């Protein structure tokens, strides 16, 4: 009677607390119920709550007690603050700014050394050539070798991998310290060589690795950073930091990282990206001022175009031409880059040779490119001695290089001299530069070193813009007349437009426009830049995938391709047309032998759990590791030893505690009869006291399986928790009780044949899922879901698989692989069974509707005979005896 009263009190207390819960939102209801039950149980037992040492300090005597309490509170406050986002973001921004500045300094030193060597040997052309060619070859070869030995994952851009990781796919080794070191050192050497390579893609990867390593470091202070969702949010912010501190362009960096890395972006991460990128860009430029490189914080490539009349309205068609031409150029660059890689792979002789001599290919490419850019040789026709930074500074120059109408020819001073050739004019130099750099950059970005392609493409775009600008200036020497004023055409403005358009076309982004404004520090050409970038994007997207998507395809990364433009078939293809029907599953009343067979026959990470093979009603999913753990615990040597002890001590059965009876599954009860439905009210076990003596405990058979009472199966309720605790306590006690000698004696008594026989017996028992973690709500799609909607769901939630159900019954499964094949099939017209043209009419027919209704009615009738977790079933009490 007392037990019942305490239970009803506990229920009342829980109901009261539940009403409070709506205002609290501090805990999950299930967790709260467990804690509450434990507290009530402790109150009944009158056991005092163990106090924390810091609480006891307040009552302890002595002078230092208040100080120690204060120190503990400060420590707790600091640790809680370390968990704040802004602390993490400031640290990330600071580290990345330091890394970026240090790398820039090292790269500038390397390039300066090459210039110094080249300049010092001006008496002998052959020695000059040797120095000019050897220096970059050594650096690139070292970079390739170093990354290959330390971490091959550091090769390439890093954005395709980050795109895949942010989509929810786990790529091991991509965010480790080893990869970080390899990427930083490899990139510094690669860029220091003066090859046409970029640093923006690798910086996104470096920042992401920084974020991952910082998370791991800060998790020492508390478990805030171990949350997977939080880590993904921080990686999204890190991608913004990477671009932000690379160009000192925080706004463009955030927008570019969103466009490049994510299909869907959570707006709640927006402030994180801006905060970290702004802080990083600020520190990056402050370091330049501190190093006396700059007088104040300025743009990286400052331009001084006139503000009163930046461009004439009649120049807009020329800007539009730049945009369209850049669109074709960008698509061609992506195509060329992909074809070079595929050519290397397909030529088996070349491939085999290069696999043996891994460092030969980068050395050979560097040798060819550096030979062609040798300034006294062919390099004189393409400004060969200029670094990428110097090239951009000259291309964004304010003045017009071609003849300025009536006035004398423009004088080339300083680094502008590189573009001047006595026997050819500026146009020839620019055309040669664009054509040569185009294929050189496409080839150089295939070298197995850490490198990006943004910067070389940016420079080529600027050169193309400059060429159009100089042509316009030559065509209209005094400018396009408006009234009586003469406004000369500014070719530098065209260079800015071209740079944004071509880099936007290659990466399929519009934010390059914003990056350009932040790089040049001028927003006067905002409209021409936007027009050109949008046109370039429109052309490039209709012809080729972006450079990063192209690399994803080459590397065969598990990423979902974008749906193409204007392909209406994707609305007509449905999940039932592409799903895998023959999938392995686990039933609720299966035996351990079935689990063993499922593990051997499939490699699926998540297995669907169904009610029975007949009904196929999907109850949830269970991880492969969980299934393995269930199987290994059933066949563990400890259980075998326990069974043996029970046999040895069978004459004195009372010596075994209650928990040992509960821990072991009785073969007589479980193997003979099927699992019986046990509990009608699912909330009751949450507050049931675990009996302290064997007399109170129910027999083992009744607590064996709870049938289809899903509440007691899925919810980790209070009844299972103390049992697990008792189980662990019992194991500790058992380890103390059984000496090593006794274990050896008992172990030796079983021959291998007996062990095999015992294992066979165990495999024939029904599985107890009460200790397994089951996901009660795996992602499900209905069989009639369209391909378009499925793609959206997969992209938005970052799924890698989803189960397909029909009125609650499991009918198949769709994974990224099937979806990718289907999308590529719908784009190419082959590779997937596209539905017949009249397929959409089959759903509106009455027969199908009637069939569905009948199926629903049958399902409902069957549910009357099962004990689903509901308060009161319409079937009455006599359902308990209805067989399954």
């Amino acid at each position: 009677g007392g037990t019942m009263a305490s239970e009803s009190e506990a229920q009342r207390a829980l109901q009261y607390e539940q009403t409070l819960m709506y205002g609290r939102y501090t805990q999950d209801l299930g967790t709260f119920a467990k804690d509450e039950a434990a507290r009530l149980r402790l109150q009944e037992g009158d056991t005092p709550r163990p106090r924390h040492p810091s609480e006891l300090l307040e009552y302890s005597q002595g002078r230092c007690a208040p100080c120690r309490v204060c120190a503990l509170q400060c420590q707790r406050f600091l640790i809680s603050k370390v968990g704040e986002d802004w602390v993490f973001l400031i640290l990330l921004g600071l580290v990345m700014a330091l890394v970026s500045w240090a790398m820039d300094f090292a790269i500038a030193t390397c390039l300066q050394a090459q210039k110094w060597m080249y300049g010092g040997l001006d008496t002998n052309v052959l020695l000059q050539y040797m120095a000019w060619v050897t220096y970059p070859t050594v650096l690139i070869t070292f970079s390739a070798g170093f990354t290959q030995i330390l971490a091959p994952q550091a090769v390439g851009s890093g954005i395709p991998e980050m795109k895949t990781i942010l989509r929810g796919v786990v790529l091991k080794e991509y965010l480790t310290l080893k990869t970080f070191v390899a990427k930083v050192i490899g990139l510094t050497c690669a860029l220091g060589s003066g090859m046409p390579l970029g640093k923006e893609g690798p910086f996104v990867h470096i920042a992401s690795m920084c974020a991952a390593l910082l998370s791991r470091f800060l998790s020492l202070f508390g478990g805030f950073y171990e949350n997977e969702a939080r880590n993904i949010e921080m990686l999204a912010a890190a991608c913004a930091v990477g671009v932000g501190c690379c160009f000192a362009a925080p706004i463009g960096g955030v927008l570019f990282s969103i466009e490049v890395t994510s299909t869907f972006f959570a707006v709640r991460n927006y402030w994180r990206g801006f905060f970290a990128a702004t802080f990083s860009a600020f520190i990056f430029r402050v370091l330049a001022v501190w190093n006396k490189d700059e007088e104040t914080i300025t743009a990286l490539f400052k331009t001084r175009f006139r503000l009163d009349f930046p461009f004439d309205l009649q120049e807009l068609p020329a800007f539009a031409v730049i945009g369209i031409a850049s669109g074709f150029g960008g698509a061609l660059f992506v195509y060329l880059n992909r074809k070079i890689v595929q050519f290397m792979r397909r030529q088996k002789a070349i491939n085999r040779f290069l696999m043996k001599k891994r460092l030969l290919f980068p050395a050979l490419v560097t040798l060819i490119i550096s030979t062609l850019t040798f300034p006294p040789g062919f390099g004189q026709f393409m400004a060969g001695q200029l670094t990428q930074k110097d090239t951009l500074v000259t291309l964004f120059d304010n003045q017009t290089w071609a003849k300025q109408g009536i006035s004398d020819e423009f004088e080339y001073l300083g680094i502008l001299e590189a573009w001047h050739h006595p026997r050819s004019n500026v146009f020839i130099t620019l055309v040669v530069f664009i054509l040569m750099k185009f294929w050189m950059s496409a080839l150089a970005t295939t070298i197995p070193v850490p490198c990006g392609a943004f910067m070389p493409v940016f420079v080529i775009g600027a050169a193309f813009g400059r060429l159009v600008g100089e042509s316009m200036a030559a065509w209209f020497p005094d400018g396009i007349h408006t009234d009586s004023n003469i406004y000369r055409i500014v070719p530098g403005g065209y260079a800015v437009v071209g740079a944004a358009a071509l880099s936007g076309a290659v990466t399929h982004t519009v934010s390059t426009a914003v990056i350009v404004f932040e790089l040049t520090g001028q927003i006067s050409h905002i409209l021409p830049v936007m027009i050109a970038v949008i046109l370039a994007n429109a052309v490039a997207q209709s012809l080729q995938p972006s450079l990063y998507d192209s690399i994803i395809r080459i590397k065969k990364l598990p990423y979902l391709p974008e749906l193409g433009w204007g392909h209406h078939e994707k609305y007509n293809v449905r999940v039932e047309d592409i799903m895998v029907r023959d999938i392995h599953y686990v039933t609720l009343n299966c035996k351990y032998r079935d689990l063993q067979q499922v593990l051997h026959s499939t490699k699926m990470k998540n297995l669907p759990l169904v009610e029975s093979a007949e009904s196929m009603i999907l109850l949830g999913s269970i991880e492969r590791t969980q299934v393995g753990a269930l199987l290994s615990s059933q066949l563990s040597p400890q259980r075998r030893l326990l069974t043996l002890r029970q046999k040895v001590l069978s004459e004195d059965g009372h010596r075994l505690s209650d928990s040992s009876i509960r821990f072991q599954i009785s073969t007589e009860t479980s193997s003979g009869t099927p699992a019986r439905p046990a509990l009608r009210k699912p909330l009751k076990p949450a507050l049931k006291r675990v009996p302290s003596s064997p007399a109170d405990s129910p027999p083992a058979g009744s607590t064996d399986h709870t049938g289809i009472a899903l509440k007691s199966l899925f919810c980790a309720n209070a009844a299972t928790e103390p049992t697990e605790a008792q189980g662990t306590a019992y194991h500790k006690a058992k380890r103390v009780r059984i000496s090593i000698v006794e274990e050896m004696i008992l172990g030796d008594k079983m021959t291998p044949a007996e062990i095999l026989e015992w294992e066979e017996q165990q495999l024939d028992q029904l599985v107890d899922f009460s200790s397994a973690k089951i996901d009660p709500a795996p992602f499900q799609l209905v069989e009639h879901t369209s391909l378009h909607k499925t793609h959206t769901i997969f992209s938005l939630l970052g799924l890698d698989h989803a189960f397909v159900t029909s009125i609650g019954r499991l009918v198949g499964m769709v994974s990224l692989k099937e979806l990718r094949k289907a999308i590529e099939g719908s784009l190419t017209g082959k590779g997937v069974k596209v539905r017949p043209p009249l397929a959409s009419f089959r759903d509106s027919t009455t027969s199908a509707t009637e069939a569905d209704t009948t199926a629903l009615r049958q399902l409902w009738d069957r549910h009357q005979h099962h004990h689903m977790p509901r308060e009161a079933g319409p079937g009455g009490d006599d359902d308990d005896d209805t067989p399954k």
Side-chain angles (χ1 to χ4, degrees):
T3 315
M4 290 294 289
S6 62
E7 275 181 17
S8 61
E9 276 174 34
Q11 261 181 318
R12 273 203 301 278
L14 180 62
Q15 281 164 2
Y16 171 65
E17 291 288 359
Q18 273 177 6
T19 56
L20 291 180
M21 273 294 292
Y22 291 109
R24 288 170 40 144
Y25 291 108
T26 53
Q27 271 178 309
D28 186 20
L29 188 57
T31 320
F32 180 72
K34 277 193 302 194
D35 294 350
E36 193 61 23
R39 190 176 65 77
L40 289 167
R41 201 162 49 252
L42 281 170
Q43 274 181 2
E44 284 170 14
D46 291 328
T47 49
R49 182 172 66 86
R51 286 192 177 276
H52 200 270
S54 62
E55 292 177 16
L56 294 170
L57 274 174
E58 294 174 27
Y59 301 104
S60 58
Q61 300 300 314
R63 292 177 185 176
C64 297
C67 301
R68 273 151 69 197
V69 169
C70 184
L72 269 167
Q73 284 172 346
C74 289
Q75 183 186 344
R76 211 174 295 153
F77 174 76
L78 283 171
I79 286 173
S80 71
K81 284 297 165 200
V82 166
E84 298 284 339
D85 282 359
W86 57 269
V87 175
F88 178 87
L89 295 169
I90 284 176
L91 282 172
L92 178 63
L94 187 65
V95 170
M96 276 313 294
L98 289 166
V99 168
S100 181
W101 179 77
M103 279 178 68
D104 274 8
F105 185 75
I107 291 160
T109 310
C110 288
L111 293 168
Q112 201 61 43
Q114 188 184 12
K115 268 189 185 173
W116 173 78
M117 280 168 66
Y118 169 75
L121 299 165
D122 54 354
T123 49
N124 191 327
V125 178
L126 188 66
L127 282 175
Q128 265 191 325
Y129 172 74
M130 290 303 291
W132 182 263
V133 170
T134 312
Y135 186 76
T137 310
V138 168
L139 276 176
I140 288 280
T141 312
F142 169 75
S143 173
F146 183 74
T147 46
Q148 193 62 49
I149 293 163
L150 191 62
Q153 295 84 10
V155 168
S157 168
I159 285 182
E161 286 83 12
M162 284 317 302
K163 206 171 176 177
T164 314
I165 289 168
L166 286 173
R167 217 209 133 291
V169 179
V170 179
L171 293 178
K172 286 177 183 173
E173 300 292 321
Y174 268 98
L175 298 175
T176 55
L177 184 63
K178 235 176 19 172
T179 317
F180 178 78
V181 173
K183 195 96 178 180
V184 168
I185 294 173
L187 183 63
T188 308
C189 295
L191 294 177
S193 69
M195 286 293 102
L197 302 168
K199 72 168 191 173
E200 166 266 359
F203 255 78
V204 169
H205 192 188
I206 289 170
S208 304
M209 288 187 281
C210 241
L213 295 168
L214 262 178
S215 290
R216 213 170 297 162
F217 168 69
L218 290 176
S219 63
L220 301 172
F221 294 96
F224 317 105
Y225 295 94
E226 287 164 11
N227 187 348
E228 189 187 343
R230 184 195 177 96
N231 284 343
I232 291 286
E233 287 178 0
M234 291 309 167
L235 284 179
C239 291
V241 172
V243 188
C245 69
C246 182
F247 297 133
I251 301 168
V254 173
L255 297 176
F256 184 83
S257 72
I258 290 170
E259 281 191 279
V260 161
T261 56
S262 44
T263 316
F264 292 94
F265 184 76
V267 181
R268 65 173 178 273
N269 297 336
Y270 212 47
W271 75 269
R272 291 187 178 94
F274 273 118
F275 181 78
T278 307
F279 187 77
S280 183
F282 171 72
I283 298 291
F284 177 60
R285 298 310 283 150
V286 163
L287 285 167
V289 175
W290 172 76
N291 200 38
K292 304 282 190 295
D293 293 340
E294 303 273 350
E295 288 179 15
T296 182
I297 294 176
T298 55
L300 224 53
F301 300 104
K302 190 135 189 71
T303 55
R304 291 176 181 81
F305 307 142
R306 56 165 189 261
L307 296 173
D308 55 337
F309 193 85
F311 60 91
D312 198 303
L313 202 61
Q314 292 164 28
E315 291 177 58
L316 283 179
F319 292 125
V321 166
I322 290 177
I324 293 164
S326 296
F328 284 109
L332 182 64
F333 184 88
V334 174
Y335 177 78
L336 189 63
N337 182 279
R338 189 168 66 249
K339 283 296 165 194
I340 291 168
V341 177
Q342 286 173 349
F343 174 76
M344 296 291 181
R345 284 188 180 174
R346 280 176 189 159
Q347 300 295 322
K348 287 183 181 173
I350 297 175
N351 198 7
R352 229 176 295 134
F353 181 67
L354 291 178
M355 285 301 282
K356 283 179 189 169
K357 310 269 191 303
R358 285 172 187 272
L359 301 182
L360 193 66
F361 175 63
L364 207 62
V365 171
T366 313
L367 190 69
I368 292 166
I369 292 174
S370 49
T371 301
L372 287 171
T373 55
F374 181 53
F378 191 70
Q380 62 188 330
F381 296 104
M382 50 178 287
Q385 71 259 46
L386 293 183
T387 63
Q388 279 188 351
K389 194 168 184 178
D390 291 343
T391 309
L392 269 183
V393 168
T394 54
L395 290 171
F396 289 162
D397 185 56
N398 251 22
Q399 294 157 301
T400 311
W401 298 349
K403 288 185 179 178
Q404 296 218 2
I406 306 154
S407 58
D408 297 324
E409 191 169 338
F410 162 68
E411 282 185 31
Y412 291 89
L413 299 168
I415 53 173
L416 284 172
E417 214 175 319
W419 293 100
H420 182 61
H421 193 270
R423 289 190 301 281
S424 70
N425 60 15
V426 178
F427 299 105
I428 292 169
T429 312
L430 279 169
V431 168
V432 171
F433 177 87
I434 292 162
L435 293 174
M436 295 300 287
K437 284 283 180 184
F438 193 86
W439 70 262
M440 282 179 184
S441 303
L443 179 63
T445 45
T446 62
I447 300 175
V449 293
C451 63
F454 187 87
M455 217 47 197
V457 167
F458 196 78
V459 172
I460 295 163
F464 175 65
R466 185 89 205 183
L467 178 65
V468 176
E470 293 289 350
S471 307
M472 288 288 288
W475 197 4
F476 303 105
D478 294 331
I480 299 170
H481 293 280
T482 52
D483 304 333
S484 56
N485 297 331
I486 291 178
Y487 290 109
R488 294 190 191 283
I489 282 167
V490 184
Y494 285 81
V496 168
V497 173
L502 191 65
S503 51
V506 169
T507 57
H508 285 199
T509 55
V510 184
S511 52
T512 49
V514 186
I515 290 176
V516 156
F517 302 142
E518 290 184 278
L519 274 179
T520 56
Q522 271 198 297
I523 207 164
S524 56
H525 281 71
I526 184 163
L527 270 175
V529 169
M530 284 307 295
I531 290 167
V533 168
I534 287 168
L535 284 171
N537 259 293
V539 173
Q541 284 185 29
S542 59
L543 293 172
Q544 284 285 321
S546 75
L547 181 67
Y548 307 122
D549 286 339
S550 174
I551 295 168
I552 283 173
R553 282 189 197 177
I554 291 167
K555 288 189 171 183
K556 292 187 170 62
L557 292 172
Y559 188 77
L560 208 55
E562 293 300 314
L563 287 170
W565 286 5
H567 294 280
H568 300 292
E569 310 95 86
K570 60 182 174 273
Y571 295 96
N572 207 20
V573 179
R574 292 184 176 178
V575 166
E576 60 186 335
D577 299 321
I578 62 170
M579 69 185 180
V580 176
R581 293 174 188 276
D582 182 27
I583 56 169
H584 296 275
Y585 54 85
V586 177
T587 58
L588 198 59
N589 52 5
C590 68
K591 295 178 180 177
Y592 284 96
R593 192 181 301 283
D594 300 331
L595 293 189
Q596 198 177 38
Q597 284 172 357
V598 166
L599 286 178
H600 285 157
S601 57
T602 182
K603 290 181 180 176
M604 278 165 60
K605 285 182 184 171
N606 282 296
L607 296 159
L609 178 70
V610 297
E611 184 191 30
S612 66
E614 295 78 39
S615 70
M616 288 300 286
I617 291 168
L618 184 67
L619 302 176
S621 76
I622 181 166
E623 283 185 18
R624 187 187 180 84
T625 49
Q626 288 285 318
V627 175
L630 280 172
L631 200 59
S632 59
S633 69
Q634 183 71 5
L635 302 176
S636 62
Q638 288 89 353
R639 283 193 87 249
R640 198 170 69 237
L641 200 65
L642 193 68
T643 314
L644 204 57
R645 279 196 80 244
Q646 198 180 10
K647 280 183 184 174
V648 172
L649 306 171
S650 56
E651 69 278 358
D652 189 12
H654 295 292
R655 276 169 60 184
L656 283 172
S657 68
D658 161 56
S659 48
S660 68
I661 293 170
R662 283 192 132 187
F663 176 74
Q664 187 206 354
I665 295 171
S666 164
T667 52
E668 289 81 14
T669 54
S670 63
S671 59
T673 56
R676 305 286 287 173
L679 298 171
R680 213 41 204 275
K681 292 176 184 171
L683 279 174
K684 202 169 180 183
L687 296 163
K688 194 178 283 182
R689 279 195 306 134
V690 173
S692 53
S693 64
D696 294 339
S697 69
S702 63
T703 56
D704 187 6
H705 296 290
T706 52
I708 197 164
L710 290 181
K711 205 79 167 181
S712 57
L713 176 65
F714 289 162
C715 300
N717 52 28
T720 58
E721 203 68 25
T723 312
E724 286 168 19
Q726 279 185 352
T728 49
Y730 165 71
H731 278 308
K732 286 177 188 170
K734 187 184 80 172
R735 276 199 291 274
V736 174
R737 285 204 306 270
I738 301 178
S739 64
I740 300 165
V741 182
E742 190 180 353
E743 275 193 35
M744 284 171 68
I745 293 165
L746 290 171
D748 290 340
K749 279 184 182 177
M750 281 186 102
T751 61
E754 284 177 338
I755 290 172
L756 201 65
E757 188 188 347
W758 178 82
E759 284 185 353
E760 288 296 318
Q761 283 177 0
Q762 297 302 313
L763 286 173
D764 283 329
Q765 291 184 15
L766 290 170
V767 181
D768 179 17
F769 286 106
S770 58
S771 61
K773 287 178 186 170
I774 294 167
D775 179 10
F779 288 103
Q780 297 175 42
L781 296 169
V782 185
E783 55 187 345
H784 295 326
T785 313
S786 71
L787 179 62
H788 185 267
K789 192 185 263 189
T790 308
H791 179 275
T792 308
I793 291 167
F794 268 66
S795 304
L796 189 56
L797 301 172
L799 306 183
D800 57 358
H801 75 280
F803 298 119
V804 184
T805 55
S806 171
I807 332 175
R809 291 189 300 251
L810 179 71
V811 289
M813 190 183 85
V814 172
S815 67
L816 270 178
K817 188 178 162 188
E818 284 85 48
L819 200 53
R820 194 162 66 235
K821 278 183 186 171
I823 288 164
E824 284 163 5
S826 76
L827 301 185
T828 58
K830 58 189 175 197
V832 66
K833 187 188 78 179
V834 179
R835 299 178 53 174
L838 297 174
S840 52
F841 288 106
R842 73 182 178 196
D843 312 314
S844 57
T845 57
T846 52
S847 59
T849 318
E850 281 170 15
D852 284 357
T853 315
T854 315
L856 270 169
R857 202 170 287 128
Q858 285 172 357
L859 191 66
W860 176 249
D861 290 341
R862 190 164 64 252
H863 274 226
Q864 306 298 331
H865 302 298
H866 286 303
H867 293 278
M868 294 303 281
R870 52 177 184 266
E871 288 305 315
D877 292 334
D878 57 344
D879 285 349
D880 288 345
D881 300 318
T882 311
K884 280 178 97 175

